Amino acid sequence: DQQVKQNSPSLSVQEGRISILNCDYTNSMFDYFLWYKKYPAEGPTFLISISSIKDKNEDGRFTVFLNKSAKHLSLHIVPSQPGDSAVYFCAASAWYFKKSSGDKLTFGTGTRLAVRP
Amino acid sequence: DTGVSQNPRHKITKRGQNVTFRCDPISEHNRLYWYRQTLGQGPEFLTYFQNEAQLEKSRLLSDRFSAERPKGSFSTLEIQRTEQGDSAMYLCASTGTGGSNEKLFFGSGTQLSVL
C-alpha cells in the first residue's frame, strides 16, 4: 500500500511563477516530513523538512506547509527558476519506529517539475 | 569528499550472475540504509543497519539479496543469481548523529542493468 502519495506525476511552470507540489499520506504515525530533489543519475538531495508540531517551514524560496487533519503537505517554490527542474519526492518518517527502523523514510512516487524559461 | 560514496556507479551483468555493490557512508554516521528505485517510482526501503547490526529488512529483500556492514563502517549489498527484474538504481544513505529527526544523506547510487 502506498503510504505516501504524490498524485501529480508532472508539473510545468513558467519561470518566475509559483510551483506548488502536493503530497498526501495515510499513516497517522508519520511525524516528520521531508522533500528531496533528484536529478537524473544522481541520488536524492535534501531540500526542506517539517515536524508535525509545525504547520509551516520556510527556507529561502522554498516553503513547506503541513495540514495534519487532512494528512496533506505541499511544497511551494517562489519564484521558480529553470534550475529547479527536477523530480521532487515527498518522504515521511515516524519517531515511534526509530528504535527498530532508525530514520527510515517512506517515499512518494515523485513529481517531475519543469520550469520553462 | 565527505558525502556518501557508492561504487560502482554503473553495473551491467547477465542474468544469473552475482553482483556486489559497496557503500561508504559519512564517517560519523552510525545508521546506514539501502534503497532501490525503479523507473517512475520513489526509492523503496530495502534494509537498515545501526552500526554493524542489521535491524530491519524489507519484504522486497528476497533470499537472493544479502547486505553486510561488518565493521560498522562501509556496507555491501550482494545480489545472487540476478534477474531482469533486479534492474534498478540501488541507493545507499546514512544518518545518525543522535538527533530526534534526522535527514538521510544519499549517495549517487549504483545503476544495475541485468541483460
Side-chain angles (χ1 to χ4, degrees), chain A residues 52-94:
Chain A
S52 60
I53 61 173
K54 296 185 176 181
D55 54 17
K56 177 182 174 180
N57 189 28
E58 196 171 352
D59 184 1
R61 297 186 297 115
F62 303 92
T63 303
V64 56
F65 295 91
L66 174 63
N67 183 335
K68 283 184 293 183
S69 61
K71 292 191 177 68
H72 176 84
L73 61 155
S74 61
L75 173 68
H76 293 210
I77 306 174
V78 183
S80 301
Q81 299 174 353
D84 296 330
S85 298
V87 178
Y88 288 78
F89 290 100
C90 173
S93 66

mmCIF file of all heavy atoms in Angstrom, chain A residues 52-94:
data_model
loop_
_atom_site.group_PDB
_atom_site.id
_atom_site.type_symbol
_atom_site.label_atom_id
_atom_site.label_comp_id
_atom_site.label_asym_id
_atom_site.label_seq_id
_atom_site.Cartn_x
_atom_site.Cartn_y
_atom_site.Cartn_z
ATOM 1 N N SER A 52 5.829 17.535 12.681
ATOM 2 C CA SER A 52 4.376 17.574 12.824
ATOM 3 C C SER A 52 3.893 18.596 13.855
ATOM 4 O O SER A 52 2.701 18.871 13.938
ATOM 5 C CB SER A 52 3.836 16.190 13.187
ATOM 6 O OG SER A 52 4.400 15.754 14.406
ATOM 7 N N ILE A 53 4.804 19.151 14.629
ATOM 8 C CA ILE A 53 4.381 20.167 15.598
ATOM 9 C C ILE A 53 4.259 21.544 14.947
ATOM 10 O O ILE A 53 3.812 22.500 15.571
ATOM 11 C CB ILE A 53 5.350 20.250 16.800
ATOM 12 C CG1 ILE A 53 6.760 20.649 16.353
ATOM 13 C CG2 ILE A 53 5.359 18.922 17.547
ATOM 14 C CD1 ILE A 53 7.708 20.906 17.527
ATOM 15 N N LYS A 54 4.669 21.633 13.692
ATOM 16 C CA LYS A 54 4.573 22.889 12.958
ATOM 17 C C LYS A 54 3.599 22.741 11.799
ATOM 18 O O LYS A 54 3.265 21.631 11.371
ATOM 19 C CB LYS A 54 5.941 23.291 12.415
ATOM 20 C CG LYS A 54 6.977 23.593 13.481
ATOM 21 C CD LYS A 54 8.237 24.099 12.835
ATOM 22 C CE LYS A 54 9.267 24.513 13.884
ATOM 23 N NZ LYS A 54 10.507 25.027 13.254
ATOM 24 N N ASP A 55 3.151 23.879 11.276
ATOM 25 C CA ASP A 55 2.334 23.816 10.068
ATOM 26 C C ASP A 55 2.996 24.525 8.889
ATOM 27 O O ASP A 55 2.473 24.492 7.772
ATOM 28 C CB ASP A 55 0.925 24.370 10.312
ATOM 29 C CG ASP A 55 0.949 25.776 10.883
ATOM 30 O OD1 ASP A 55 2.007 26.436 10.801
ATOM 31 O OD2 ASP A 55 -0.077 26.227 11.417
ATOM 32 N N LYS A 56 4.154 25.106 9.132
ATOM 33 C CA LYS A 56 4.842 25.802 8.045
ATOM 34 C C LYS A 56 6.329 25.867 8.362
ATOM 35 O O LYS A 56 6.733 26.068 9.519
ATOM 36 C CB LYS A 56 4.280 27.224 7.911
ATOM 37 C CG LYS A 56 4.950 28.093 6.869
ATOM 38 C CD LYS A 56 4.333 29.490 6.878
ATOM 39 C CE LYS A 56 5.065 30.446 5.939
ATOM 40 N NZ LYS A 56 4.465 31.799 5.962
ATOM 41 N N ASN A 57 7.134 25.688 7.326
ATOM 42 C CA ASN A 57 8.563 25.885 7.462
ATOM 43 C C ASN A 57 9.082 26.507 6.180
ATOM 44 O O ASN A 57 8.716 26.077 5.083
ATOM 45 C CB ASN A 57 9.288 24.561 7.740
ATOM 46 C CG ASN A 57 10.745 24.778 8.092
ATOM 47 O OD1 ASN A 57 11.118 25.822 8.616
ATOM 48 N ND2 ASN A 57 11.574 23.790 7.808
ATOM 49 N N GLU A 58 9.912 27.510 6.339
ATOM 50 C CA GLU A 58 10.350 28.305 5.189
ATOM 51 C C GLU A 58 11.869 28.322 5.120
ATOM 52 O O GLU A 58 12.552 28.451 6.137
ATOM 53 C CB GLU A 58 9.813 29.732 5.354
ATOM 54 C CG GLU A 58 9.843 30.586 4.133
ATOM 55 C CD GLU A 58 9.074 31.901 4.347
ATOM 56 O OE1 GLU A 58 8.419 32.041 5.400
ATOM 57 O OE2 GLU A 58 9.133 32.755 3.468
ATOM 58 N N ASP A 59 12.396 28.205 3.912
ATOM 59 C CA ASP A 59 13.832 28.286 3.702
ATOM 60 C C ASP A 59 14.075 28.919 2.344
ATOM 61 O O ASP A 59 14.020 28.252 1.313
ATOM 62 C CB ASP A 59 14.463 26.897 3.764
ATOM 63 C CG ASP A 59 15.987 26.938 3.649
ATOM 64 O OD1 ASP A 59 16.558 28.051 3.546
ATOM 65 O OD2 ASP A 59 16.611 25.865 3.646
ATOM 66 N N GLY A 60 14.301 30.234 2.368
ATOM 67 C CA GLY A 60 14.538 30.941 1.111
ATOM 68 C C GLY A 60 13.322 30.894 0.208
ATOM 69 O O GLY A 60 12.213 31.270 0.607
ATOM 70 N N ARG A 61 13.528 30.382 -0.985
ATOM 71 C CA ARG A 61 12.411 30.311 -1.949
ATOM 72 C C ARG A 61 11.461 29.145 -1.675
ATOM 73 O O ARG A 61 10.435 29.010 -2.354
ATOM 74 C CB ARG A 61 12.979 30.181 -3.361
ATOM 75 C CG ARG A 61 13.811 31.366 -3.819
ATOM 76 C CD ARG A 61 14.221 31.234 -5.280
ATOM 77 N NE ARG A 61 15.079 30.073 -5.515
ATOM 78 C CZ ARG A 61 14.724 29.030 -6.262
ATOM 79 N NH1 ARG A 61 13.511 28.970 -6.810
ATOM 80 N NH2 ARG A 61 15.572 28.041 -6.438
ATOM 81 N N PHE A 62 11.810 28.290 -0.750
ATOM 82 C CA PHE A 62 11.054 27.065 -0.506
ATOM 83 C C PHE A 62 10.271 27.148 0.803
ATOM 84 O O PHE A 62 10.821 27.519 1.836
ATOM 85 C CB PHE A 62 12.004 25.863 -0.464
ATOM 86 C CG PHE A 62 12.824 25.704 -1.713
ATOM 87 C CD1 PHE A 62 14.083 26.289 -1.815
ATOM 88 C CD2 PHE A 62 12.329 24.989 -2.793
ATOM 89 C CE1 PHE A 62 14.836 26.154 -2.977
ATOM 90 C CE2 PHE A 62 13.075 24.846 -3.949
ATOM 91 C CZ PHE A 62 14.327 25.424 -4.045
ATOM 92 N N THR A 63 8.990 26.795 0.727
ATOM 93 C CA THR A 63 8.141 26.740 1.906
ATOM 94 C C THR A 63 7.360 25.436 1.882
ATOM 95 O O THR A 63 6.799 25.072 0.849
ATOM 96 C CB THR A 63 7.158 27.918 1.944
ATOM 97 O OG1 THR A 63 7.886 29.155 1.898
ATOM 98 C CG2 THR A 63 6.323 27.885 3.228
ATOM 99 N N VAL A 64 7.327 24.768 3.008
ATOM 100 C CA VAL A 64 6.522 23.552 3.117
ATOM 101 C C VAL A 64 5.393 23.832 4.105
ATOM 102 O O VAL A 64 5.605 24.420 5.167
ATOM 103 C CB VAL A 64 7.368 22.329 3.536
ATOM 104 C CG1 VAL A 64 8.116 22.572 4.832
ATOM 105 C CG2 VAL A 64 6.509 21.091 3.628
ATOM 106 N N PHE A 65 4.196 23.417 3.719
ATOM 107 C CA PHE A 65 3.003 23.558 4.552
ATOM 108 C C PHE A 65 2.499 22.171 4.926
ATOM 109 O O PHE A 65 2.476 21.270 4.076
ATOM 110 C CB PHE A 65 1.901 24.310 3.785
ATOM 111 C CG PHE A 65 2.235 25.719 3.444
ATOM 112 C CD1 PHE A 65 2.848 26.027 2.231
ATOM 113 C CD2 PHE A 65 1.956 26.758 4.330
ATOM 114 C CE1 PHE A 65 3.171 27.343 1.904
ATOM 115 C CE2 PHE A 65 2.268 28.067 4.008
ATOM 116 C CZ PHE A 65 2.879 28.361 2.795
ATOM 117 N N LEU A 66 2.087 22.028 6.188
ATOM 118 C CA LEU A 66 1.569 20.748 6.654
ATOM 119 C C LEU A 66 0.164 20.940 7.223
ATOM 120 O O LEU A 66 -0.049 21.786 8.085
ATOM 121 C CB LEU A 66 2.486 20.154 7.731
ATOM 122 C CG LEU A 66 2.008 18.876 8.415
ATOM 123 C CD1 LEU A 66 1.883 17.736 7.405
ATOM 124 C CD2 LEU A 66 2.956 18.500 9.545
ATOM 125 N N ASN A 67 -0.767 20.145 6.739
ATOM 126 C CA ASN A 67 -2.136 20.111 7.258
ATOM 127 C C ASN A 67 -2.384 18.718 7.812
ATOM 128 O O ASN A 67 -2.697 17.783 7.077
ATOM 129 C CB ASN A 67 -3.133 20.436 6.134
ATOM 130 C CG ASN A 67 -4.578 20.480 6.625
ATOM 131 O OD1 ASN A 67 -4.918 19.848 7.620
ATOM 132 N ND2 ASN A 67 -5.408 21.216 5.929
ATOM 133 N N LYS A 68 -2.185 18.588 9.127
ATOM 134 C CA LYS A 68 -2.260 17.263 9.736
ATOM 135 C C LYS A 68 -3.647 16.660 9.671
ATOM 136 O O LYS A 68 -3.797 15.459 9.494
ATOM 137 C CB LYS A 68 -1.789 17.340 11.192
ATOM 138 C CG LYS A 68 -0.282 17.411 11.330
ATOM 139 C CD LYS A 68 0.121 17.386 12.790
ATOM 140 C CE LYS A 68 -0.338 18.641 13.484
ATOM 141 N NZ LYS A 68 0.078 18.718 14.899
ATOM 142 N N SER A 69 -4.653 17.480 9.835
ATOM 143 C CA SER A 69 -6.015 16.938 9.828
ATOM 144 C C SER A 69 -6.362 16.353 8.474
ATOM 145 O O SER A 69 -7.087 15.363 8.376
ATOM 146 C CB SER A 69 -7.029 18.019 10.222
ATOM 147 O OG SER A 69 -6.984 19.087 9.296
ATOM 148 N N ALA A 70 -5.819 16.939 7.413
ATOM 149 C CA ALA A 70 -6.065 16.438 6.058
ATOM 150 C C ALA A 70 -5.000 15.447 5.624
ATOM 151 O O ALA A 70 -5.102 14.881 4.523
ATOM 152 C CB ALA A 70 -6.126 17.594 5.075
ATOM 153 N N LYS A 71 -3.977 15.262 6.442
ATOM 154 C CA LYS A 71 -2.840 14.418 6.081
ATOM 155 C C LYS A 71 -2.280 14.845 4.714
ATOM 156 O O LYS A 71 -2.133 14.032 3.787
ATOM 157 C CB LYS A 71 -3.225 12.940 6.073
ATOM 158 C CG LYS A 71 -3.550 12.370 7.445
ATOM 159 C CD LYS A 71 -3.655 10.845 7.389
ATOM 160 C CE LYS A 71 -3.899 10.245 8.759
ATOM 161 N NZ LYS A 71 -5.226 10.575 9.284
ATOM 162 N N HIS A 72 -1.983 16.111 4.633
ATOM 163 C CA HIS A 72 -1.566 16.690 3.367
ATOM 164 C C HIS A 72 -0.435 17.674 3.601
ATOM 165 O O HIS A 72 -0.446 18.444 4.569
ATOM 166 C CB HIS A 72 -2.756 17.420 2.714
ATOM 167 C CG HIS A 72 -2.398 18.126 1.452
ATOM 168 N ND1 HIS A 72 -2.361 17.486 0.226
ATOM 169 C CD2 HIS A 72 -2.062 19.425 1.220
ATOM 170 C CE1 HIS A 72 -2.012 18.353 -0.708
ATOM 171 N NE2 HIS A 72 -1.830 19.529 -0.136
ATOM 172 N N LEU A 73 0.556 17.632 2.720
ATOM 173 C CA LEU A 73 1.570 18.670 2.755
ATOM 174 C C LEU A 73 1.848 19.153 1.338
ATOM 175 O O LEU A 73 1.543 18.457 0.360
ATOM 176 C CB LEU A 73 2.856 18.207 3.450
ATOM 177 C CG LEU A 73 3.675 17.058 2.933
ATOM 178 C CD1 LEU A 73 5.117 17.214 3.395
ATOM 179 C CD2 LEU A 73 3.145 15.736 3.457
ATOM 180 N N SER A 74 2.385 20.357 1.276
ATOM 181 C CA SER A 74 2.694 20.919 -0.030
ATOM 182 C C SER A 74 4.016 21.672 0.046
ATOM 183 O O SER A 74 4.412 22.163 1.106
ATOM 184 C CB SER A 74 1.572 21.842 -0.507
ATOM 185 O OG SER A 74 1.390 22.924 0.385
ATOM 186 N N LEU A 75 4.674 21.726 -1.090
ATOM 187 C CA LEU A 75 5.931 22.458 -1.240
ATOM 188 C C LEU A 75 5.682 23.596 -2.213
ATOM 189 O O LEU A 75 5.215 23.356 -3.327
ATOM 190 C CB LEU A 75 7.025 21.539 -1.774
ATOM 191 C CG LEU A 75 8.352 22.199 -2.130
ATOM 192 C CD1 LEU A 75 9.049 22.710 -0.871
ATOM 193 C CD2 LEU A 75 9.261 21.233 -2.886
ATOM 194 N N HIS A 76 5.990 24.807 -1.772
ATOM 195 C CA HIS A 76 5.863 25.977 -2.626
ATOM 196 C C HIS A 76 7.250 26.476 -2.981
ATOM 197 O O HIS A 76 8.095 26.651 -2.086
ATOM 198 C CB HIS A 76 5.074 27.088 -1.920
ATOM 199 C CG HIS A 76 3.642 26.744 -1.687
ATOM 200 N ND1 HIS A 76 2.653 27.704 -1.646
ATOM 201 C CD2 HIS A 76 3.017 25.556 -1.498
ATOM 202 C CE1 HIS A 76 1.488 27.127 -1.432
ATOM 203 N NE2 HIS A 76 1.685 25.827 -1.333
ATOM 204 N N ILE A 77 7.449 26.745 -4.250
ATOM 205 C CA ILE A 77 8.715 27.303 -4.716
ATOM 206 C C ILE A 77 8.398 28.638 -5.382
ATOM 207 O O ILE A 77 7.660 28.690 -6.375
ATOM 208 C CB ILE A 77 9.412 26.368 -5.728
ATOM 209 C CG1 ILE A 77 9.570 24.967 -5.148
ATOM 210 C CG2 ILE A 77 10.770 26.946 -6.112
ATOM 211 C CD1 ILE A 77 10.119 23.941 -6.149
ATOM 212 N N VAL A 78 8.931 29.718 -4.789
ATOM 213 C CA VAL A 78 8.651 31.057 -5.315
ATOM 214 C C VAL A 78 9.910 31.926 -5.249
ATOM 215 O O VAL A 78 10.460 32.075 -4.146
ATOM 216 C CB VAL A 78 7.530 31.776 -4.515
ATOM 217 C CG1 VAL A 78 7.217 33.129 -5.142
ATOM 218 C CG2 VAL A 78 6.284 30.921 -4.450
ATOM 219 N N PRO A 79 10.364 32.535 -6.343
ATOM 220 C CA PRO A 79 9.921 32.276 -7.703
ATOM 221 C C PRO A 79 10.601 31.037 -8.270
ATOM 222 O O PRO A 79 11.726 30.710 -7.883
ATOM 223 C CB PRO A 79 10.390 33.536 -8.444
ATOM 224 C CG PRO A 79 11.647 33.931 -7.719
ATOM 225 C CD PRO A 79 11.425 33.558 -6.273
ATOM 226 N N SER A 80 9.954 30.357 -9.156
ATOM 227 C CA SER A 80 10.536 29.163 -9.775
ATOM 228 C C SER A 80 11.629 29.570 -10.757
ATOM 229 O O SER A 80 11.509 30.584 -11.458
ATOM 230 C CB SER A 80 9.448 28.377 -10.514
ATOM 231 O OG SER A 80 8.428 27.996 -9.624
ATOM 232 N N GLN A 81 12.674 28.747 -10.795
ATOM 233 C CA GLN A 81 13.805 29.004 -11.689
ATOM 234 C C GLN A 81 14.059 27.760 -12.548
ATOM 235 O O GLN A 81 13.777 26.639 -12.103
ATOM 236 C CB GLN A 81 15.058 29.328 -10.876
ATOM 237 C CG GLN A 81 14.917 30.567 -10.003
ATOM 238 C CD GLN A 81 16.126 30.779 -9.094
ATOM 239 O OE1 GLN A 81 17.023 29.939 -9.011
ATOM 240 N NE2 GLN A 81 16.127 31.911 -8.400
ATOM 241 N N PRO A 82 14.624 27.929 -13.731
ATOM 242 C CA PRO A 82 14.892 26.752 -14.583
ATOM 243 C C PRO A 82 15.730 25.687 -13.878
ATOM 244 O O PRO A 82 15.524 24.488 -14.099
ATOM 245 C CB PRO A 82 15.634 27.354 -15.781
ATOM 246 C CG PRO A 82 15.098 28.745 -15.871
ATOM 247 C CD PRO A 82 14.902 29.188 -14.441
ATOM 248 N N GLY A 83 16.634 26.091 -13.006
ATOM 249 C CA GLY A 83 17.457 25.138 -12.268
ATOM 250 C C GLY A 83 16.678 24.300 -11.270
ATOM 251 O O GLY A 83 17.194 23.316 -10.738
ATOM 252 N N ASP A 84 15.434 24.675 -11.016
ATOM 253 C CA ASP A 84 14.586 23.883 -10.127
ATOM 254 C C ASP A 84 14.007 22.665 -10.839
ATOM 255 O O ASP A 84 13.393 21.806 -10.205
ATOM 256 C CB ASP A 84 13.418 24.740 -9.601
ATOM 257 C CG ASP A 84 13.878 25.901 -8.733
ATOM 258 O OD1 ASP A 84 14.929 25.766 -8.064
ATOM 259 O OD2 ASP A 84 13.193 26.947 -8.731
ATOM 260 N N SER A 85 14.177 22.592 -12.129
ATOM 261 C CA SER A 85 13.642 21.457 -12.903
ATOM 262 C C SER A 85 14.299 20.168 -12.436
ATOM 263 O O SER A 85 15.518 20.003 -12.531
ATOM 264 C CB SER A 85 13.880 21.672 -14.397
ATOM 265 O OG SER A 85 13.197 22.823 -14.846
ATOM 266 N N ALA A 86 13.500 19.267 -11.903
ATOM 267 C CA ALA A 86 13.985 18.019 -11.306
ATOM 268 C C ALA A 86 12.764 17.206 -10.894
ATOM 269 O O ALA A 86 11.629 17.637 -11.064
ATOM 270 C CB ALA A 86 14.857 18.305 -10.087
ATOM 271 N N VAL A 87 13.025 16.037 -10.336
ATOM 272 C CA VAL A 87 11.944 15.252 -9.733
ATOM 273 C C VAL A 87 11.961 15.522 -8.228
ATOM 274 O O VAL A 87 13.023 15.469 -7.598
ATOM 275 C CB VAL A 87 12.110 13.752 -10.006
ATOM 276 C CG1 VAL A 87 11.002 12.956 -9.317
ATOM 277 C CG2 VAL A 87 12.092 13.479 -11.507
ATOM 278 N N TYR A 88 10.802 15.807 -7.675
ATOM 279 C CA TYR A 88 10.677 16.109 -6.260
ATOM 280 C C TYR A 88 9.933 14.974 -5.559
ATOM 281 O O TYR A 88 8.848 14.568 -5.971
ATOM 282 C CB TYR A 88 9.924 17.432 -6.062
ATOM 283 C CG TYR A 88 10.752 18.617 -6.467
ATOM 284 C CD1 TYR A 88 10.916 18.957 -7.810
ATOM 285 C CD2 TYR A 88 11.427 19.388 -5.521
ATOM 286 C CE1 TYR A 88 11.697 20.029 -8.198
ATOM 287 C CE2 TYR A 88 12.211 20.469 -5.899
ATOM 288 C CZ TYR A 88 12.340 20.771 -7.239
ATOM 289 O OH TYR A 88 13.129 21.829 -7.628
ATOM 290 N N PHE A 89 10.563 14.483 -4.507
ATOM 291 C CA PHE A 89 9.971 13.402 -3.729
ATOM 292 C C PHE A 89 9.565 13.906 -2.354
ATOM 293 O O PHE A 89 10.344 14.585 -1.675
ATOM 294 C CB PHE A 89 10.959 12.245 -3.553
ATOM 295 C CG PHE A 89 11.239 11.489 -4.812
ATOM 296 C CD1 PHE A 89 12.396 11.737 -5.541
ATOM 297 C CD2 PHE A 89 10.355 10.532 -5.271
ATOM 298 C CE1 PHE A 89 12.654 11.038 -6.713
ATOM 299 C CE2 PHE A 89 10.608 9.829 -6.430
ATOM 300 C CZ PHE A 89 11.759 10.084 -7.152
ATOM 301 N N CYS A 90 8.391 13.542 -1.960
ATOM 302 C CA CYS A 90 7.906 13.743 -0.603
ATOM 303 C C CYS A 90 8.262 12.474 0.183
ATOM 304 O O CYS A 90 8.176 11.360 -0.362
ATOM 305 C CB CYS A 90 6.397 13.949 -0.676
ATOM 306 S SG CYS A 90 5.550 14.026 0.896
ATOM 307 N N ALA A 91 8.671 12.629 1.436
ATOM 308 C CA ALA A 91 9.030 11.477 2.248
ATOM 309 C C ALA A 91 8.581 11.704 3.680
ATOM 310 O O ALA A 91 8.411 12.858 4.112
ATOM 311 C CB ALA A 91 10.534 11.231 2.196
ATOM 312 N N ALA A 92 8.397 10.622 4.414
ATOM 313 C CA ALA A 92 7.916 10.731 5.788
ATOM 314 C C ALA A 92 8.583 9.688 6.673
ATOM 315 O O ALA A 92 8.973 8.614 6.199
ATOM 316 C CB ALA A 92 6.399 10.547 5.828
ATOM 317 N N SER A 93 8.699 10.025 7.954
ATOM 318 C CA SER A 93 9.231 9.063 8.920
ATOM 319 C C SER A 93 8.412 9.163 10.200
ATOM 320 O O SER A 93 7.651 10.104 10.410
ATOM 321 C CB SER A 93 10.710 9.330 9.215
ATOM 322 O OG SER A 93 10.879 10.569 9.869
ATOM 323 N N ALA A 94 8.605 8.163 11.069
ATOM 324 C CA ALA A 94 7.842 8.081 12.314
ATOM 325 C C ALA A 94 8.799 7.877 13.482
ATOM 326 O O ALA A 94 9.519 6.880 13.525
ATOM 327 C CB ALA A 94 6.827 6.950 12.245
#
